[in-house]
Structures are given as C-alpha cells and as structure tokens.
Amino acid sequence: MPHLFSNIEQLPPDALFGLKARYVADDRATKVDLGIGAYRDENGKPWVLPSVKRAEKLLQEDPSYNHEYLPIQGFAPFVTAAAQVILGEDSPAIAEKRLVSVQSLSGTGALHVAAKFIKKFYSKSETVYLSKPTWANHFQVFETIGLKTATYAYWKDETKSLDLEGYLRDIESAPEGSVFLLHACAHNPTGLDPTPEEWTQILNAIKKKNHLPIFDSAYQGFASGSLEKDAWALREGVKILKETPIIVCQSFAKNVGMYGERVGAFHLVLPTDENKAAILSQLQVFTRSELSNPPAYGAKVVAKVLTTPELRKQWQDDLITMSQRIHKQRLALRDRLVKLQTPGNWDHIVNQQGMFSFTGLSKEQVARLESKHAVYMTANGRASVAGLNEHNVEYVANAIDEVVRSASKL
Ligand code: LMR
C-alpha cells in the first residue's frame, strides 16, 4: 500500500562501495581489487602501520586509559598536533593565533563542516568549483547541504596532463568570491598534481579573484613519503592568500591507515585573529547537533603518533614504505605494458603519484576488465595502485593489454 514515502526515488549503489560489493561477491579464483583507495601490503592485505600498532599499545597500557566523552571541539592534543603537521610547526597562522580548528569525522566530515559553514556564513557565493574530474563524493557533500557545484578544467585527456590554461581561465571567469576546492596533493582520481610553478600561478589567480579556497588534504605524506613536500602547495596558499580565509579539510584515513576510525580535522585559517571565539562557538554547535562530540579512539591514537618522537619517526618511515611500494608497482605495471607492446603510451602511470592512476582506459575497457578478467576499477579508468603487488601486477598488465587490443579491433 502506498505511504507517505512511496515516491522516494531509488538511487544506484555508490560507485565505489558498489564496486567493492561486486568484487567481494565475485567467486572467480583470480580477481584484483583496484577500486577503493585503501593501502594494501605486498600480499594484498590491509596494513596496520607499525607506528599505529605501537601507539595503540601505549594507549591501552596508560593507567588513565578510558572511553569518556571528548570535549565538543575534539581531543585537544590531536587538534593541536593535526594543525601543526599540516600547516607546519613554524606556521605564521599558528604563531599569530589566527586559526580555528575542530576535530571532524575524517576528511569527508571536515568537508561537510565546510559545506555547512559556507551555506550558513558565506554570503558571496553558493557555488563550489570542483576540478574536472574530482572525487565523485565531492559533488554530494556540497549538494546535500544545498550548495551548487560547478567544475573547472583540470585534466587534458589527449596529453594525460594538466590543463593549466583551462584551469587558469576557469578561475578567472568564475564570479568574484567563488569557492574553489583544491586537492592539496595526490589528486583524486588523476594522481596528477600541479608543479610548484603551476601552483604559484593557480594560487595567484585565486587571489586576484578573491575566491575562497578549500584545501582537501587526504594524502599528506602518503603521496611522496614526505610530509613537508605534500603540504607545500597548501602552505604556499597560506602565504599567498594571506588576506583570505582558507579552509583546510584534513583526513588521517590514508596516511595513518585508520580508514574506518574517521580521524580528521577542519581548520579555518583567518587573516587575523578577530572573531575567532564566535566562529568556534558556531562550529561547536555543528558538532554538538550532529555528533554530540567527536569519536575519541582514533584521535587519541593519532595524537600519540604525532606527539611521541619515536612514533613520529616510525610514522615517517611507514609513509616511505607505503609511497615507495606504490611507486614500485607503478613502474612494474608500466614496464610490463611496454614489454607487451600494449598500444599507447603508459608513462603517465609512473608520472602520477599517490594512491591512484588515471589509466586512460575507457568505460567499455573498464567494464571488460571486470567482466572478462575480474580486475575491478572505477568506470572513469581510475586504478588504486595500492591494490597491485608482485603477485598480481603481471596478471593486471596482461588483462589491460587484452582489453586495449580488443577495443582497437572494434
Ligand atoms: C577513494 O576515493 O577511493 C577513497 O577516498 C575512499 C572513499 O571514501 O571514497
């Protein structure tokens, strides 16, 4: 019998989690998951970082260990250390106390806070510009709050490189004061980041139009193995855009490998310290009304990692382990495709960085990879390189070779 909600439209499964479900349900003996961006070790298994394991042990052995509520703003040692790691210990924004930070439900939660904040307090624009392409969830995060989204040029298909000209043109033609979401490093899905020179041009163009930047930082340290290098663009943004507030959405899902624990922070870097207490009070109402107070466990673990010198050192080694293993698999995949003389140029696989490679495979080729070879990646041709290892990279290269050749026969 029809009821009040009978007319609600059924949506397709989420592109990434739907893919995961298909992979899990696939009973073929050989299958490869290059879908969701989550690090895997050389045997294709999830990896608990040694730094995290040690932090968890220390935490549980601590006589004051408990599961009490956190303050609404979050676990203070975590929030402070998170700001320092992303902005830099010597950040003028921290020294001049012009920063407002709250703990969030990882990067997505921080983006959600950003969306609510813009909707409620930013009267200049209701449109958030996203790179084309971007992480699919970006659209939903802003649109579910009632903001509009638009796209700016980013990826040039023909050359598999950055469309800098189009990017700068779109920054210039967007109405003054628009919101621009920038991937701090390891762009998702392309794995292609602007060079420092290109970033400088991009940031100056944003400054000229008084746009409001949001830096989405989900891969600091994971991309290159260096926390400093991966934060360079964001820190340069803080310098160049000194007169503009800057929103930073920080995730610790990937770089500490605590995907399901949802550890992150929302930071607002202000030009001055004026009105900070008022802003914080509003952010606290967002948290109180949605979560009451943020989850404690992951934040305590990450705070331990960030603030204990030996663990911090171990974490930096862990970041190198992850980024180097991924880079090695990029080389292995590219080399194997070259050896097979697979039609096309595959150098972009090694030139991209971070979790993903935007392979350039078409939707049809991706569908054939899944149906014929049980190799799973997103329909836009994005492969999570972390899913590759010595045991499966050859299989994946052979499968790619087959689908590319079969498409060229059509
Ligand atoms: C991804 O893009 O695969 C990750 O960021 C996981 C997610 O939440 O979508």
Side-chain angles (χ1 to χ4, degrees), residues 16-17 35-38 108 135 137 188 219 254 262 356 382:
L16 274 163
F17 283 81
I36 291 187
T108 309
W135 181 48
N137 204 25
N188 180 359
Y219 295 93
K254 330 274 180 181
R262 316 312 290 141
F356 305 112
R382 185 195 85 169

Side-chain angles (χ1 to χ4, degrees), residues 227-276:
L227 290 165
E228 312 308 317
K229 197 164 169 219
D230 293 349
W232 182 87
L234 186 150
R235 293 179 191 172
E236 195 63 13
V238 172
K239 272 192 227 148
I240 293 180
L241 300 159
K242 213 172 164 298
E243 278 103 61
T244 322
I246 295 177
I247 293 172
V248 178
C249 298
Q250 181 182 23
S251 162
F252 284 94
K254 330 274 180 181
N255 58 6
V256 296
M258 295 189 79
Y259 301 91
E261 300 299 341
R262 316 312 290 141
V263 192
F266 167 95
H267 309 279
L268 180 64
V269 183
L270 295 162
T272 71
D273 66 356
E274 200 194 350
N275 215 25
K276 261 177 48 179

Side-chain angles (χ1 to χ4, degrees), residues 1-15:
M1 202 177 64
H3 56 70
L4 271 175
F5 301 123
S6 293
N7 292 334
I8 290 181
E9 177 199 357
Q10 166 140 16
L11 300 173
D14 178 80

Side-chain angles (χ1 to χ4, degrees), residues 53-340:
K53 265 197 189 149
R54 286 171 58 189
E56 288 184 287
K57 191 155 177 285
L58 283 181
L59 205 65
Q60 284 170 21
E61 283 168 355
D62 184 337
S64 68
Y65 176 76
N66 63 50
H67 292 286
E68 292 297 290
Y69 290 132
L70 289 183
I72 296 170
Q73 191 181 354
F75 185 52
F78 164 75
V79 177
T80 305
Q84 283 169 348
V85 78
I86 188 84
L87 295 171
E89 311 239 335
D90 57 351
S91 165
I94 297 178
E96 292 157 18
K97 299 195 176 9
R98 43 188 181 84
L99 178 69
V100 185
S101 304
V102 291
Q103 193 181 320
S104 65
L105 290 179
S106 200
T108 309
L111 287 162
H112 175 73
V113 173
K116 283 186 78 165
F117 189 80
I118 290 164
K119 180 78 184 164
K120 190 156 181 195
F121 299 112
Y122 189 60
S123 54
K124 277 171 119 181
S125 177
E126 288 237 307
T127 304
V128 181
Y129 283 79
L130 304 170
S131 63
K132 192 175 176 203
T134 194
W135 181 48
N137 204 25
H138 277 148
F139 290 95
Q140 311 192 111
V141 169
F142 295 105
E143 288 168 9
T144 49
I145 296 296
L147 293 168
K148 295 190 185 68
T149 57
T151 57
Y152 60 85
Y154 192 86
W155 170 262
K156 212 194 264 173
D157 231 351
E158 313 83 68
T159 49
K160 299 192 175 60
S161 62
L162 185 74
D163 179 3
L164 182 65
E165 209 181 295
Y167 195 157
L168 294 172
R169 194 187 48 233
D170 288 347
I171 293 174
E172 172 63 35
S173 60
E176 169 116 6
S178 297
V179 183
F180 267 74
L181 187 135
L182 311 168
H183 297 227
C185 68
H187 182 267
N188 180 359
T190 67
L192 170 75
D193 291 328
T195 62
E197 295 70 35
E198 289 167 342
W199 266 120
T200 307
Q201 290 187 57
I202 291 162
L203 294 166
N204 278 307
I206 285 179
K207 176 180 164 147
K208 205 166 137 216
K209 291 292 305 247
N210 292 311
H211 294 323
L212 176 69
I214 304 175
F215 278 94
D216 184 354
S217 176
Y219 295 93
Q220 189 192 0
F222 189 98
S224 70
S226 155
L227 290 165
E228 312 308 317
K229 197 164 169 219
D230 293 349
W232 182 87
L234 186 150
R235 293 179 191 172
E236 195 63 13
V238 172
K239 272 192 227 148
I240 293 180
L241 300 159
K242 213 172 164 298
E243 278 103 61
T244 322
I246 295 177
I247 293 172
V248 178
C249 298
Q250 181 182 23
S251 162
F252 284 94
K254 330 274 180 181
N255 58 6
V256 296
M258 295 189 79
Y259 301 91
E261 300 299 341
R262 316 312 290 141
V263 192
F266 167 95
H267 309 279
L268 180 64
V269 183
L270 295 162
T272 71
D273 66 356
E274 200 194 350
N275 215 25
K276 261 177 48 179
I279 295 169
L280 179 61
S281 73
Q282 295 284 350
L283 292 172
Q284 285 179 318
V285 171
F286 288 177
T287 302
R288 180 76 174 123
S289 63
E290 287 190 18
L291 329 170
S292 178
N293 50 85
Y297 183 73
K300 288 182 183 172
V301 173
V302 173
K304 257 287 175 261
V305 171
L306 295 178
T307 60
T308 315
E310 314 89 82
L311 295 194
R312 175 92 173 214
K313 161 98 197 33
Q314 176 66 53
W315 180 46
Q316 283 170 341
D317 292 346
D318 298 344
L319 289 168
I320 291 170
T321 302
M322 292 193 286
S323 60
Q324 285 189 350
R325 200 192 76 72
I326 290 184
H327 188 66
K328 216 169 128 199
Q329 293 311 313
R330 289 183 182 280
L331 291 168
L333 180 61
R334 192 271 315 262
D335 291 351
R336 179 75 195 163
L337 290 168
V338 169
K339 200 159 166 214
L340 291 168

